[in-house]
Coordinates of all heavy atoms in Angstrom, one line a residue:
C1 N -7.5 1.3 -1.9 CA -6.6 2.0 -2.9 C -7.0 3.5 -3.0 O -6.1 4.2 -3.4 CB -6.5 1.3 -4.2 SG -5.6 -0.3 -4.3
T2 N -8.2 3.8 -2.8 CA -8.6 5.2 -2.8 C -7.9 6.0 -1.8 O -7.8 7.3 -1.9 CB -10.1 5.4 -2.7 OG1 -10.5 4.9 -1.5 CG2 -10.8 4.7 -3.9
R3 N -7.4 5.4 -0.7 CA -6.7 6.1 0.4 C -5.2 5.6 0.4 O -4.5 5.9 1.5 CB -7.4 5.8 1.7 CG -8.9 6.3 1.7 CD -9.5 6.0 3.1 NE -9.5 4.5 3.4 CZ -10.6 3.7 3.0 NH1 -11.5 4.2 2.2 NH2 -10.5 2.4 3.3
A4 N -4.7 5.0 -0.5 CA -3.3 4.4 -0.5 C -2.3 5.4 -0.3 O -1.3 5.2 0.5 CB -3.1 3.6 -1.8
F5 N -2.4 6.6 -0.9 CA -1.4 7.6 -0.8 C -1.7 8.6 0.3 O -0.8 9.3 0.9 CB -1.2 8.4 -2.1 CG -0.5 7.5 -3.1 CD1 -1.1 7.4 -4.5 CD2 0.7 7.0 -2.9 CE1 -0.5 6.7 -5.4 CE2 1.3 6.2 -3.9 CZ 0.7 6.1 -5.1
L6 N -3.0 8.8 0.6 CA -3.3 9.8 1.5 C -3.1 9.3 3.0 O -2.9 10.1 4.0 CB -4.8 10.2 1.4 CG -5.2 10.7 -0.1 CD1 -6.7 10.9 -0.2 CD2 -4.4 12.0 -0.4
R7 N -3.3 8.1 3.2 CA -3.2 7.5 4.6 C -1.8 7.6 5.2 O -1.6 7.9 6.3 CB -3.8 6.1 4.6 CG -3.8 5.5 6.0 CD -4.3 4.0 5.9 NE -5.7 3.9 5.4 CZ -6.2 2.8 5.1 NH1 -5.5 1.6 5.1 NH2 -7.5 2.8 4.7
E8 N -0.8 7.3 4.4 CA 0.6 7.3 4.9 C 1.5 8.2 4.0 O 2.6 7.8 3.6 CB 1.1 5.9 4.8 CG 0.3 4.9 5.8 CD 0.8 3.5 5.8 OE1 1.6 3.3 6.7 OE2 0.4 2.7 5.0
A9 N 1.1 9.4 3.8 CA 1.8 10.3 3.0 C 3.2 10.6 3.5 O 4.1 10.6 2.6 CB 1.0 11.7 3.0
K10 N 3.4 10.7 4.8 CA 4.8 11.0 5.2 C 5.8 9.8 5.0 O 6.9 10.1 4.5 CB 4.8 11.3 6.7 CG 4.1 12.6 7.1 CD 4.2 12.8 8.6 CE 3.5 14.2 8.9 NZ 3.5 14.5 10.5
L11 N 5.3 8.6 5.2 CA 6.1 7.5 4.9 C 6.4 7.3 3.5 O 7.5 6.9 3.1 CB 5.4 6.2 5.5 CG 6.2 4.9 5.4 CD1 7.4 5.0 6.3 CD2 5.3 3.8 6.0
I12 N 5.4 7.5 2.7 CA 5.6 7.4 1.2 C 6.7 8.4 0.7 O 7.5 8.0 -0.2 CB 4.3 7.6 0.4 CG1 3.3 6.5 0.8 CG2 4.5 7.7 -1.0 CD1 1.9 6.7 0.3
R13 N 6.6 9.6 1.2 CA 7.5 10.7 0.7 C 9.0 10.4 1.2 O 9.9 10.8 0.6 CB 7.1 12.0 1.3 CG 6.0 12.7 0.6 CD 5.9 14.1 0.8 NE 5.8 14.4 2.3 CZ 4.7 14.6 2.9 NH1 3.5 14.5 2.3 NH2 4.7 14.8 4.2
S14 N 9.1 9.7 2.4 CA 10.4 9.5 3.0 C 11.1 8.2 2.6 O 12.2 8.0 3.0 CB 10.3 9.5 4.5 OG 9.4 8.4 4.9
T15 N 10.4 7.4 1.8 CA 11.1 6.1 1.3 C 11.4 6.2 -0.1 O 10.7 7.0 -0.9 CB 10.1 4.9 1.6 OG1 8.9 5.2 0.9 CG2 9.9 4.7 3.0
R16 N 12.3 5.4 -0.6 CA 12.7 5.4 -2.0 C 12.3 4.1 -2.7 O 12.7 4.0 -3.9 CB 14.3 5.5 -2.0 CG 14.8 6.7 -1.4 CD 16.3 6.9 -1.5 NE 16.7 6.9 -2.9 CZ 18.0 6.9 -3.3 NH1 19.0 6.8 -2.4 NH2 18.4 7.0 -4.6
I17 N 11.6 3.2 -2.1 CA 11.1 2.1 -2.8 C 10.1 2.5 -3.9 O 9.4 3.5 -3.7 CB 10.5 1.1 -1.7 CG1 9.4 1.7 -0.9 CG2 11.5 0.4 -0.9 CD1 8.7 0.7 0.0
P18 N 10.0 1.7 -4.9 CA 9.0 2.0 -5.9 C 7.5 2.2 -5.3 O 7.1 1.4 -4.5 CB 9.0 0.8 -6.8 CG 10.3 0.2 -6.7 CD 10.6 0.5 -5.2
R19 N 6.9 3.3 -5.7 CA 5.6 3.7 -5.1 C 4.5 2.8 -5.4 O 3.4 2.7 -4.8 CB 5.2 5.1 -5.4 CG 5.8 6.2 -4.4 CD 7.2 6.4 -4.7 NE 7.8 7.3 -3.6 CZ 9.0 7.9 -3.7 NH1 9.7 7.7 -4.9 NH2 9.5 8.7 -2.8
T20 N 4.6 2.0 -6.5 CA 3.6 1.0 -6.8 C 3.4 0.0 -5.6 O 2.3 -0.6 -5.6 CB 4.0 0.2 -8.1 OG1 5.3 -0.5 -7.9 CG2 4.0 1.1 -9.3
I21 N 4.4 -0.1 -4.8 CA 4.3 -1.1 -3.7 C 3.1 -0.7 -2.8 O 2.6 -1.6 -2.1 CB 5.7 -1.2 -2.9 CG1 5.7 -2.5 -2.2 CG2 5.8 0.0 -2.0 CD1 7.2 -2.8 -1.7
W22 N 2.8 0.6 -2.6 CA 1.7 1.0 -1.8 C 0.3 0.6 -2.2 O -0.6 0.6 -1.5 CB 1.8 2.5 -1.5 CG 3.1 2.9 -1.0 CD1 4.2 3.5 -1.6 CD2 3.5 2.8 0.4 NE1 5.2 3.6 -0.8 CE2 4.8 3.2 0.5 CE3 2.9 2.3 1.5 CZ2 5.6 3.2 1.7 CZ3 3.7 2.3 2.7 CH2 4.9 2.7 2.7
V23 N 0.2 0.3 -3.6 CA -1.0 -0.3 -4.1 C -0.9 -1.8 -4.1 O -1.9 -2.5 -3.6 CB -1.2 0.2 -5.5 CG1 -2.4 -0.6 -6.2 CG2 -1.5 1.7 -5.6
N24 N 0.2 -2.3 -4.4 CA 0.3 -3.8 -4.5 C 0.2 -4.5 -3.2 O -0.3 -5.6 -3.1 CB 1.6 -4.2 -5.3 CG 1.6 -3.9 -6.7 OD1 0.6 -3.9 -7.3 ND2 2.8 -3.5 -7.3
R25 N 0.6 -3.8 -2.1 CA 0.5 -4.4 -0.8 C -1.0 -4.6 -0.4 O -1.3 -5.5 0.3 CB 1.3 -3.6 0.3 CG 0.9 -2.1 0.3 CD 0.6 -1.7 1.7 NE 0.2 -0.3 1.7 CZ -0.4 0.3 2.7 NH1 -0.4 -0.3 3.9 NH2 -0.8 1.6 2.7
L26 N -1.8 -3.6 -0.8 CA -3.3 -3.7 -0.5 C -3.9 -4.9 -1.3 O -4.7 -5.6 -0.8 CB -3.9 -2.5 -0.8 CG -3.5 -1.2 -0.1 CD1 -4.1 0.1 -0.6 CD2 -3.8 -1.4 1.4
V27 N -3.4 -5.1 -2.6 CA -4.0 -6.2 -3.3 C -3.6 -7.5 -2.8 O -4.4 -8.4 -2.6 CB -3.4 -6.0 -4.8 CG1 -3.8 -7.2 -5.7 CG2 -3.9 -4.7 -5.4
L28 N -2.3 -7.6 -2.3 CA -1.8 -8.8 -1.7 C -2.4 -9.1 -0.4 O -2.9 -10.3 -0.2 CB -0.3 -8.7 -1.6 CG 0.4 -9.9 -1.0 CD1 0.1 -11.2 -1.9 CD2 2.0 -9.7 -0.9
S29 N -2.6 -8.2 0.5 CA -3.2 -8.4 1.8 C -4.7 -8.9 1.7 O -5.1 -9.8 2.3 CB -3.1 -7.1 2.7 OG -3.8 -6.1 2.2
K30 N -5.4 -8.3 0.7 CA -6.8 -8.6 0.5 C -6.8 -10.0 -0.2 O -7.7 -10.8 0.1 CB -7.5 -7.6 -0.4 CG -7.8 -6.3 0.4 CD -8.7 -6.5 1.6 CE -9.1 -5.2 2.4 NZ -10.0 -5.4 3.5
G31 N -5.8 -10.3 -1.0 CA -5.7 -11.6 -1.7 C -5.5 -12.7 -0.7 O -6.0 -13.8 -0.8
I32 N -4.7 -12.4 0.3 CA -4.4 -13.4 1.4 C -5.6 -13.7 2.2 O -5.9 -14.8 2.5 CB -3.2 -12.9 2.3 CG1 -1.9 -13.0 1.5 CG2 -3.1 -13.8 3.6 CD1 -0.7 -12.4 2.2
E33 N -6.4 -12.6 2.5 CA -7.7 -12.8 3.2 C -8.6 -13.7 2.3 O -9.3 -14.4 2.9 CB -8.4 -11.4 3.4 CG -7.6 -10.6 4.6 CD -8.3 -9.3 4.8 OE1 -9.3 -9.0 4.1 OE2 -7.9 -8.7 5.8
F34 N -8.6 -13.4 1.0 CA -9.4 -14.3 0.2 C -9.0 -15.8 0.3 O -9.9 -16.6 0.4 CB -9.4 -13.8 -1.3 CG -9.9 -14.8 -2.3 CD1 -11.2 -15.0 -2.4 CD2 -9.0 -15.4 -3.1 CE1 -11.7 -16.0 -3.3 CE2 -9.4 -16.4 -4.0 CZ -10.8 -16.6 -4.1
L35 N -7.7 -16.0 0.2 CA -7.3 -17.3 0.3 C -7.6 -18.0 1.7 O -7.9 -19.2 1.7 CB -5.7 -17.5 0.1 CG -5.3 -17.1 -1.4 CD1 -3.8 -17.1 -1.4 CD2 -5.8 -18.1 -2.4
A36 N -7.6 -17.2 2.7 CA -8.0 -17.7 4.0 C -9.4 -18.0 4.1 O -9.9 -18.8 5.0 CB -7.6 -16.7 5.1
S37 N -10.2 -17.4 3.2 CA -11.7 -17.7 3.2 C -12.1 -18.9 2.4 O -13.3 -19.4 2.4 CB -12.5 -16.5 2.8 OG -12.3 -16.2 1.4

C-alpha cells in the first residue's frame, strides 16, 4: 500500500472508478494468498 498510488499513477489518473479500489485490491490479493496458505 505504500506504493499503491506511485506504481500506477497514469492508470489511476485516467480511470474514474473510486480510488479506494487501488488499496482494496492489494488487501484482497494478499488475503487470497493467505487463504491459499
Side-chain angles (χ1 to χ4, degrees):
C1 282
T2 61
R3 301 181 296 275
F5 289 127
L6 302 175
R7 183 182 296 170
E8 298 184 90
K10 291 182 180 179
L11 184 59
I12 292 171
R13 287 197 303 265
S14 62
T15 56
R16 299 182 62 183
I17 55 177
R19 270 77 188 195
T20 55
I21 205 169
W22 300 100
V23 170
N24 290 333
R25 53 127 186 174
L26 297 173
V27 176
L28 181 57
S29 63
K30 289 296 181 181
I32 290 173
E33 288 184 352
F34 164 72
L35 292 176
S37 68

